């Protein structure tokens, strides 16, 4: 095949034949890699002077999996399993030389090699479950023959990689190589292997106790709720314990095909690329230079300010944290330390790491101490006047080139920027609570925000472990703007006959971590309340008048015990019934389908408007926001992806019937039978 990229070459070291894969950026097993492997191994096996074979990769990593971009397309090149089986059947010993990440089909390729040598920094895993799949090239059948049923079951169902050290302990790696001498060490091991001969994994016995599979299922029932792949993975490992190898392969192939053809894997593979796409800023000048961020200032040591601060300290970036009152500053710093100590108690940090992180924190009562910061993030009271006054002061204090960011969750970033003489250096960095846990970061670009400022904020967001998404200035940006389109109809449905737990249950069954009313209780029903119990104009007023403020005081739409377990509240439901009757609204039966159409379809409509207005770069960014900011079930791909599965025409028809103004973009796509 003349047009085939040469992504597999070979070299000789005496009687050892070295097969070298080079398919940037991650040496994915694209069709031309499979063809190259097939050709090179055939060459090595046909050459009598070759006594052993090493398989290694150039670039950053060993093979990191099948080429996900090929999925769903017409198959090209040799079959994955055929290539791997031919390696396993080699009549000469084959040694895999592993660095970087041997993942998915990459690890499966290493499993068909007879021996494995790895550098200590390497990681080995089968993350297919995170794509809604399973290791479809024999991984579920070969892992139990090398590491045993327990470890294999954990690996395939959790998708987390093993360190090379751990892999060596469990027999997945036969020898740890020098960090800088993998090629040579692998060849040396291959020479030793000549005497040992081939060791086909398929011929090795399955070891371990199959009972672990049921234990894993019960231990992860909550986490795996709604997901198909974890259970399919475990079914394959279980099959390995009772079927001959080739029967087990057939079982695996059947389960793999079911997952591959299902919507869950399509959604999770979509999200894999969507998350990476979100990091890209369309139209960014090629020569943009990031600004250096070596010191950060955070204004506000409350829940948000403290959580934001922790993100930077954890990455070794010093933070000056500001409060106006000593007591609040001390409390804020205390909470940061307490959170780190709690994580240390769970083994996440060593005590000396906690001290090192706290050593990077400079508490202060003076804004002047922010003068040397490269990035200043305010997380103060959500009030425009307060923020504008503060940004005016920062403008005079911050050094030239410092980025000034607001953590506002919905206010107009352009108006905040107008309080400074440097609007190009101003943007929003909207963290989600708890800020040291939630991965989503909405980076809100103002009209004047400079490209390098935007790119720097996106880059620092990634550096502190966030999934950053560019949002435009509008009320609520992307996530909260769509959230409000869910809450409004949810509240209306209470007035039509539904109850909080019925509506929430629909959302829980859909796969959301909590429903609209659980979320309201978490946020607090008294936010923005006028504090006059005699003035009852809205249902929220009625709840607040009754002292029902939400989780914070143990009662809201639900009742909460001291462990925050919620129960349906007769008092809350009575307040709803009373408010409905006083509003002369008749109670009627509300169905699950109606709840979906009334509370989720409007979110899709709002997402389409956000796209039309250019407040999100792409539909997949909106989905990333909802997966990482609100726990939308990744097996449904995000609201915009899910809308395509639901059918845009069906959604538009329902919105029309509800009398909701339909986004022209949504309607146009529906009419063309498109999805987002
Ligand atoms: N196929 C195609 N492209 C891939 C890819 C893959 N497997 N992995 C990464 N890329 C692209 C990615 O989209 C990005 O592209 C670039 O490489 C750098 O990735 C039969 C069925 C290896 C840990 O799930 O976990 O094997 O944005 O930004 O942070 O049983 O990539 O530059 O254009 O993530 O250094 C199983 C997925 C596949 C591993 C590197 N394997 N990849 O992280 O870089 S299914 C996986 C990763 C399978 C078999 C089954 C990570 C990484 P662009 P990156 P990184």
């Amino acid at each position: 095949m003349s047009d085939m990229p040469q992504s597999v070459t070979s070299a000789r070291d005496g009687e050892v034949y070295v097969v070298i894969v080079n398919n940037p950026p991650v040496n994915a097993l694209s069709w031309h890699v499979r063809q190259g492997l097939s050709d090179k191994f055939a060459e090595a096996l046909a050459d009598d002077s070759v006594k052993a074979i090493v398989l290694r990769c150039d670039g950053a990593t060993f093979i990191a999996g099948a080429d996900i971009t090929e999925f769903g397309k017409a198959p090209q090149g040799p079959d994955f399993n055929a290539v791997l089986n031919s390696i396993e059947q080699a009549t000469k010993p084959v040694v895999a030389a592993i660095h970087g990440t041997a993942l998915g089909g990459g690890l499966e390729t290493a499993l068909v090699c007879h021996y494995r040598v790895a550098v200590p920094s390497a990681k080995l895993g089968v993350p297919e479950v995170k794509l809604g799949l399973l290791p479809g090239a024999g991984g579920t059948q070969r892992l139990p023959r090398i590491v045993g049923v327990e470890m294999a079951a954990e690996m395939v169902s959790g998708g987390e990689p093993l360190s090379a050290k751990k892999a060596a302990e469990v027999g997945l790696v036969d020898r740890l190589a020098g960090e800088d001498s993998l090629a040579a060490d692998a060849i040396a091991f291959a020479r030793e292997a000549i005497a040992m001969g081939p060791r086909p994994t398929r011929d090795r016995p399955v070891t371990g106790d199959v009972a672990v599979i049921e234990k894993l299922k019960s231990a992860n029932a909550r986490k795996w709720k709604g997901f198909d792949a974890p259970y399919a993975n475990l079914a394959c490992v279980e099959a390995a314990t009772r079927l001959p190898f080739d029967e087990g392969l057939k079982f695996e192939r059947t389960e793999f095909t079911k997952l591959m053809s299902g919507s869950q894997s399509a959604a999770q593979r979509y999200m894999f690329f969507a998350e990476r796409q979100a990091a890209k800023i369309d139209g960014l000048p090629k020569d943009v230079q990031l600004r250096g961020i070596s010191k950060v200032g955070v204004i506000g040591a409350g829940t948000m300010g403290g959580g934001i601060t922790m993100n930077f300290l954890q990455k070794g970036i010093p933070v000056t944290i500001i409060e106006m009152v000593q007591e609040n500053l001390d409390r804020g710093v205390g909470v940061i330390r307490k959170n780190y100590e709690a994580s240390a108690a769970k083994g996440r940090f060593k005590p000396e790491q906690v001290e090192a992180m706290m050593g990077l924190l400079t508490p202060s009562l003076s804004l002047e101490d922010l003068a040397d910061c490269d990035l200043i993030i305010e997380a103060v009271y959500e009030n425009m006047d307060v923020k504008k006054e503060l940004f005016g002061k920062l403008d005079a204090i911050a050094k030239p080139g410092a980025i000034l960011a607001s953590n506002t969750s919905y206010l107009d970033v352009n108006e905040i920027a107008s309080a400074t003489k440097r609007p190009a250096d101003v943007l929003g960095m909207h963290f989600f609570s708890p800020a040291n846990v939630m991965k989503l970061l909405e980076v809100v670009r103002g009209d004047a925000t400079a490209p390098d400022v935007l790119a720097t904020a996106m880059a620092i967001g990634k550096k502190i472990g966030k999934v950053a998404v560019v949002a435009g200035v509008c009320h609520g940006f992307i996530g909260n703007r769509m959230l409000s389109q869910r809450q409004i109809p949810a509240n209306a449905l209470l007035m039509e006959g539904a109850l909080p737990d019925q509506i929430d249950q629909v959302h829980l069954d859909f796969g959301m971590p909590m429903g609209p009313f659980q979320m309201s209780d978490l946020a607090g029903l008294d936010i923005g309340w006028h504090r006059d119990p005699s003035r009852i104009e809205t249902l929220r007023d009625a709840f607040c008048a009754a002292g029902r403020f939400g989780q914070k005081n143990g009662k809201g739409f639900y009742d909460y015990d001291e462990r925050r377990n919620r129960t349906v509240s007769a008092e809350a439901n009575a307040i709803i019934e009373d408010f409905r009757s006083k509003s002369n609204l008749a109670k009627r039966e509300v169905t699950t389908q109606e709840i979906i159409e009334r509370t989720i379809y409007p979110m899709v409509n709002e997402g389409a408007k956000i796209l039309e207005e250019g407040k999100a770069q792409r539909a997949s960014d909106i989905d990333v926001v909802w997966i990482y900011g609100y726990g939308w079930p990744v097996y449904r791909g995000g609201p915009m992806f899910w809308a395509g599965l639901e059918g845009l025409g069906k959604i538009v028809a329902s919105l029309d019937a509800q009398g909701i103004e339909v986004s022209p973009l949504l309607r146009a796509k529906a009419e063309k039978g498109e999805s987002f």
Side-chain angles (χ1 to χ4, degrees):
M1 302 176 193
S2 57
D3 61 343
M4 185 177 105
Q6 288 310 309
S7 42
V8 183
T9 56
S10 62
R12 283 296 290 271
D13 186 312
E15 69 273 64
V16 178
Y17 184 104
V18 183
V19 177
I20 305 160
V21 174
N22 187 9
N23 183 29
V26 297
N27 287 317
L29 269 165
S30 311
W31 69 270
H32 44 87
V33 173
R34 299 196 302 275
Q35 188 60 58
L37 286 175
S38 181
D39 297 346
K40 294 300 178 187
F41 270 89
E43 186 178 279
L45 293 173
D47 182 336
D48 290 343
S49 68
V50 170
K51 303 302 179 199
I53 303 165
V54 168
L55 168 61
R56 68 175 179 79
C57 295
D58 279 343
T61 176
F62 190 75
I63 301 164
D67 183 342
I68 311 174
T69 64
E70 289 183 353
F71 293 167
K73 294 175 185 164
Q76 200 178 358
D79 172 69
F80 200 144
N81 274 295
V83 172
L84 265 55
N85 290 334
S86 68
I87 296 172
E88 185 172 54
Q89 300 303 329
T91 51
K92 303 170 183 177
V94 180
V95 179
I98 299 170
H99 72 295
T101 50
L103 297 175
L107 180 57
E108 290 175 296
T109 304
L111 293 178
V112 298
C113 297
H114 304 133
Y115 305 95
R116 286 155 292 280
V117 174
V119 295
S121 61
K123 292 190 185 313
L124 300 87
V126 277
E128 286 89 333
V129 67
K130 296 180 178 180
L131 297 172
L133 294 170
L134 55 83
T140 67
Q141 305 304 303
R142 292 188 174 96
L143 273 173
R145 287 173 163 82
I146 295 177
V147 300
V149 172
E150 294 91 336
M151 178 58 76
E154 260 186 57
M155 289 179 74
V156 299
S157 61
E160 293 307 316
L162 301 184
S163 67
K165 182 169 174 292
K166 179 68 178 172
E169 286 167 12
V170 298
L172 183 55
V173 162
D174 298 289
R175 182 165 301 167
L176 289 175
E179 199 62 51
D180 304 321
S181 56
L182 176 61
D185 292 354
I187 288 169
F189 187 96
R191 288 206 167 87
E192 292 174 40
I194 294 170
M196 296 188 282
R199 185 182 59 173
T201 304
R202 57 178 293 138
D203 297 341
R204 296 171 62 171
V206 172
T207 58
D209 177 6
V210 71
V212 72
I213 288 175
E214 288 312 313
K215 290 180 195 142
L216 272 175
K217 287 179 187 172
S218 51
N220 291 285
R222 182 184 169 89
K223 183 178 166 191
W224 294 347
K225 178 171 172 278
F227 285 92
D228 297 335
Y231 298 95
N233 273 276
L234 290 177
C236 291
V237 172
E238 189 278 333
T241 66
R242 59 184 168 78
L243 296 176
F245 183 79
D246 288 322
E247 292 307 306
L249 273 189
K250 287 195 188 104
F251 184 93
E252 178 192 90
R253 175 57 38 188
T254 304
E255 291 301 308
F256 178 82
T257 305
K258 268 192 252 174
L259 291 177
M260 179 62 93
S261 55
S263 65
Q264 290 200 2
S265 176
Q268 290 176 249
R269 282 179 278 130
Y270 159 83
M271 192 42 63
F272 174 85
F273 291 111
E275 180 186 332
R276 285 155 180 79
Q277 192 65 12
K280 293 167 185 164
I281 303 168
D282 293 343
L284 194 67
K286 285 273 175 288
D287 60 347
V288 77
Q289 295 297 314
L290 300 183
R291 295 191 188 179
I293 306 290
S294 54
K295 190 160 187 188
V296 171
V298 174
I299 307 170
T303 307
M304 288 309 288
I308 292 169
T309 297
M310 292 176 69
N311 291 307
F312 293 97
L313 298 181
Q314 273 153 229
K315 292 297 179 184
I317 301 172
V319 175
T320 299
I321 188 166
I322 304 286
E323 262 292 354
M324 296 302 125
V325 172
Q326 188 67 49
E327 181 196 350
N328 296 344
L329 185 61
D330 294 344
R331 183 186 320 114
V333 171
V335 168
I336 291 171
R337 173 177 285 280
K338 185 167 66 67
N339 286 343
Y340 279 143
E341 285 171 350
S343 298
K346 292 178 197 148
R348 187 164 166 222
F349 298 117
K350 295 190 180 73
E352 57 271 24
Q353 286 176 298
V354 173
E355 293 316 316
M357 290 186 291
M358 294 307 293
L360 293 172
L361 182 58
T362 306
S364 167
L365 296 172
S366 166
L367 288 174
E368 305 295 333
D369 288 343
L370 298 175
D372 62 346
C373 291
D374 308 296
L375 166 64
I376 300 171
I377 304 172
E378 66 79 14
V380 300
Y381 182 57
E382 198 70 339
N383 172 283
M384 182 56 84
D385 294 339
V386 169
K387 292 188 188 294
K388 286 175 77 172
E389 184 193 356
L390 176 58
F391 271 74
K393 290 177 184 168
L394 289 179
D395 197 24
I397 294 167
K399 67 182 183 182
I403 294 174
L404 308 182
S406 169
N407 173 56
T408 180
S409 55
Y410 63 90
L411 294 175
D412 185 332
V413 169
N414 293 324
E415 188 175 347
I416 292 172
S418 71
T420 74
K421 299 184 194 66
R422 58 171 102 184
D425 295 341
V426 178
L427 45 58
M429 289 181 78
H430 176 214
F431 291 82
F432 283 67
S433 185
N436 55 310
V437 173
M438 293 300 285
K439 285 181 73 75
L440 180 64
L441 172 64
E442 282 182 325
V443 177
V444 187
R445 68 191 318 174
D447 296 344
T449 301
D452 66 324
V453 169
L454 180 63
T456 303
M458 292 292 284
I460 195 73
K462 179 171 183 175
K463 182 169 183 177
I464 61 174
K466 299 303 178 188
V467 176
V469 177
V470 177
V473 175
C474 57
H475 191 87
F477 314 133
I478 297 172
N480 286 344
R481 175 170 165 180
M482 291 169 71
L483 186 68
S484 65
Q485 293 310 312
R486 182 183 84 172
Q487 195 63 47
I488 294 164
N491 296 339
L493 282 165
L494 291 185
M495 294 296 99
E496 297 173 35
L499 288 174
D501 61 302
Q502 178 195 3
I503 295 171
D504 284 352
Q505 194 56 50
V506 168
H507 285 257
L508 290 169
D509 293 345
F510 185 84
M512 297 300 290
M514 61 175 79
F517 298 103
Q518 287 170 268
M519 202 169 194
S520 299
D521 275 354
L522 182 65
L525 304 185
D526 58 337
I527 292 177
W529 181 45
H530 46 63
R531 306 267 171 243
D532 176 359
S534 65
R535 199 174 120 208
I536 296 180
E537 294 155 357
T538 66
L539 182 61
R540 289 255 174 152
D541 289 346
F543 270 81
C544 291
R548 298 186 72 91
F549 300 143
Q551 263 194 30
K552 63 174 76 169
N553 74 334
K555 49 187 183 177
F557 283 103
Y558 299 93
D559 290 334
Y560 296 87
D561 66 18
E562 60 289 340
R563 294 165 58 85
R564 295 194 167 184
N565 296 315
R566 66 187 172 92
T567 51
V568 171
S569 163
E571 185 194 24
N573 289 349
I575 291 172
I576 294 166
E577 300 289 351
D578 177 53
F579 193 83
R580 182 193 309 116
S581 63
K582 284 179 180 157
S583 310
N584 299 319
L585 290 167
K587 179 174 177 152
R588 65 176 177 79
E589 190 61 35
V590 175
T591 65
T592 294
Q593 183 56 27
E594 179 179 0
I595 292 170
I596 295 268
E597 295 190 21
R598 293 277 300 275
T599 59
I600 300 182
Y601 285 11
M603 286 171 56
V604 171
N605 192 41
E606 199 64 24
K609 291 180 180 175
I610 287 168
L611 271 178
E612 279 166 344
E613 296 164 23
K615 304 303 181 188
Q617 294 189 96
R618 47 187 88 88
S620 59
D621 281 10
I622 295 172
D623 288 336
V624 169
V625 164
W626 271 84
I627 298 277
Y628 287 102
Y630 303 83
W632 179 283
V634 69
Y635 58 79
R636 294 186 192 274
M640 310 310 275
F641 180 91
W642 172 79
L645 298 177
E646 186 74 357
L648 300 193
K650 179 182 174 188
I651 292 172
V652 167
S654 173
L655 291 170
D656 282 338
Q658 293 179 49
I660 290 175
E661 181 214 343
V662 174
S663 138
L665 172 66
L666 173 56
R667 189 180 299 281
K669 281 187 169 289
E671 283 163 0
K672 285 184 268 182
E674 291 177 357
S675 51
F676 285 102

